[in-house]
């Protein structure tokens, strides 16, 4: 019998590894524009974090990709970094505007956020949670919808009120200081089949499913009930049946799920064996590709 698929309390996302083409250009963007700091280098990767991440890498860059991200393929839609205060979100968006870096500030009601791509097309979201303002409808029809605490419906995809946001900043605010982000908030993937890949993450890895919107071709998951928005999301917006990215191009190398102990790793491995899914053993975890070839490492934190 397959062990029950459930991630233990304390599980969290870890570092996200991205392939990039040009080391110098990517470092300028990720440190000077986005505001991460270089922590160390190991195994050909450049580990990036923030003063708030306690020495933990959030993103690891791997230079040397043969070409930028190829569209209409499976892989990363975006990696979202948690921004703990509205003032800090205002600061980073103001910095992006100051250097004229394209980004899309978006009001999801449950969060205020902005979306952008790095120079190779790796998707990024910077998100500040605002659950006091409302919620996503638990059973949307056809598309995602949000509802305010007063019951007013919103699309959840409106523009951020920038006048209100920038009022959070003093006129003397230093826009050059490093980004304040304490964790990877979520990972959002392009997959070839939302139901198939969703079953992999739900029934084998153990992510609790949150929403599935067939007409919107999206499914998401949250590790705990306290999670705002989601921890993992899948969509088929690159096309149902989309192929993986060409070997060696920029994009997602792997993402990481950290679990509290070896027993939790062994439970995931047992479910992989029972399901007949191939995987590799790591020193303190397992490495497995989802059905759309996105690589996941499940490791002891």
């Amino acid at each position: 019998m397959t062990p029950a698929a459930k991630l233990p309390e304390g599980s969290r996302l870890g570092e996200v590894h991205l392939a990039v083409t040009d080391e110098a250009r990517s470092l300028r963007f990720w440190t000077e524009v986005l505001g991460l700091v270089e922590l160390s280098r190991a195994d050909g990767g450049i580990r990036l974090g923030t003063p708030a991440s306690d020495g933990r890498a959030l993103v690891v860059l791997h230079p040397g990709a043969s070409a930028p991200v190829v569209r209409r393929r499976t892989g990363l839609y975006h990696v979202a970094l948690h921004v703990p205060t509205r003032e800090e979100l205002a600061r980073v968006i103001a910095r992006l505007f100051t250097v004229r870096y394209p980004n899309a500030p978006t009001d999801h009601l449950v969060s205020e956020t902005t979306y952008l791509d790095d120079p190779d097309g790796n998707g990024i979201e910077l998100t500040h949670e605002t659950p006091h303002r409302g919620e996503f409808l638990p059973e949307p029809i056809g598309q995602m919808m949000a509802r305010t605490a007063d019951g007013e419906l919103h699309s959840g995809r409106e523009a951020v009120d920038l006048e209100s946001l920038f009022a959070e900043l003093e006129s003397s605010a230093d826009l050059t200081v490093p980004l304040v982000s304490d964790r990877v908030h979520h990972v959002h993937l392009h997959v070839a089949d939302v139901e198939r890949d969703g079953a992999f993450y739900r029934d084998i890895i153990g992510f609790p499913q949150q929403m599935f919107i067939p007409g919107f071709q999206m499914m998401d998951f949250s590790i705990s009930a306290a999670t705002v928005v989601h921890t993992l999301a899948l969509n088929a917006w690159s096309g149902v049946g989309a192929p993986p990215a060409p070997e060696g191009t920029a994009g997602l190398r792997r993402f990481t799920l950290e679990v509290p102990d070896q027993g939790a790793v062994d439970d995931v491995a047992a479910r992989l064996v029972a399901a007949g899914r191939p995987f590799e053993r790591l020193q303190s975890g397992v490495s497995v590709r989802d059905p759309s070839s996105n690589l996941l490492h499940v490791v002891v934190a």
Side-chain angles (χ1 to χ4, degrees):
M1 179 179 292
T2 304
K6 183 179 180 182
L7 290 171
E9 190 70 28
S11 299
R12 64 186 183 186
L13 293 177
E15 56 196 31
V16 176
H17 291 244
L18 303 175
V20 297
T21 56
D22 186 297
E23 177 180 322
R25 182 182 66 171
S26 291
L27 267 180
R28 281 195 301 273
F29 166 78
W30 284 92
T31 59
E32 297 175 18
V33 177
L34 201 62
L36 299 187
V37 295
E38 182 176 336
L39 302 176
S40 63
R41 300 191 180 207
D43 301 323
I46 305 168
R47 301 175 68 253
L48 303 175
T50 80
S53 65
D54 295 326
R56 298 175 67 243
L58 304 178
V59 172
V60 182
L61 302 181
H62 295 269
S66 59
V69 169
V70 178
R71 301 300 178 187
R72 307 294 293 175
R73 303 297 179 100
T74 60
L76 184 72
Y77 177 42
H78 59 247
V79 53
L81 302 181
H82 177 244
V83 178
T85 68
R86 194 167 192 250
E87 178 184 5
E88 181 57 26
L89 182 68
R91 186 194 312 276
V92 68
I93 291 178
R95 178 163 66 238
L96 292 168
F97 279 15
T98 298
V99 299
R100 298 183 181 276
Y101 199 91
N103 71 109
T106 304
D107 188 348
H108 292 309
L109 193 63
V110 299
S111 66
E112 289 180 304
T113 186
T114 195
Y115 294 93
L116 63 158
D117 289 344
D118 81 353
D120 284 299
N122 290 301
I124 303 161
E125 179 182 350
L126 303 171
T127 185
H128 170 59
E129 300 173 338
T130 58
H132 59 281
R133 297 194 300 146
E135 63 180 356
F136 278 120
L137 296 184
E139 297 183 3
I141 300 174
Q143 61 179 337
M144 296 183 72
M145 293 292 294
R147 178 172 56 205
T148 69
D150 296 329
E152 182 181 352
L153 292 179
H154 282 244
S155 72
R157 297 183 297 281
E158 286 131 358
V160 169
D161 182 341
L162 292 177
E163 183 176 356
S164 168
L165 182 69
F166 291 146
E168 300 283 342
L169 294 174
E170 300 288 341
S171 59
S172 59
D174 184 356
L175 302 184
T176 67
V177 298
L179 176 71
V180 176
S181 176
D182 54 350
R183 58 187 169 91
V184 174
H185 184 275
H186 66 266
V187 171
H188 196 149
L189 300 174
H190 289 296
V191 297
D193 186 316
V194 170
E195 291 191 68
R196 178 198 66 185
D197 290 63
F200 167 82
Y201 285 106
R202 180 189 62 233
D203 301 337
I204 300 177
I205 304 302
F207 281 96
Q209 184 177 319
Q210 189 167 253
M211 287 192 297
F212 175 39
I213 315 171
F216 198 49
Q217 283 295 300
M218 179 175 167
M219 184 183 292
D220 70 359
F221 309 82
S222 58
I223 287 178
S224 75
T227 301
V228 176
V229 188
H230 39 232
T231 306
L232 174 69
L234 313 176
N235 72 64
W237 302 336
S238 283
V240 175
E247 186 73 23
T249 55
L252 181 67
R253 271 206 169 186
R254 68 176 183 268
F255 70 108
T256 310
L257 172 65
E258 297 180 349
V259 294
D261 51 47
Q262 187 61 42
V265 171
D266 293 341
D267 287 344
V268 172
R271 293 194 291 268
L272 290 167
V273 169
R277 295 290 311 178
F279 67 96
E280 294 181 8
R281 289 279 186 178
L282 304 173
Q283 184 174 0
S284 60
V286 295
S287 174
V288 61
R289 290 192 180 275
D290 71 15
S292 293
S293 292
N294 298 304
L295 185 61
L296 169 67
H297 282 190
V298 182
V299 301
V300 177

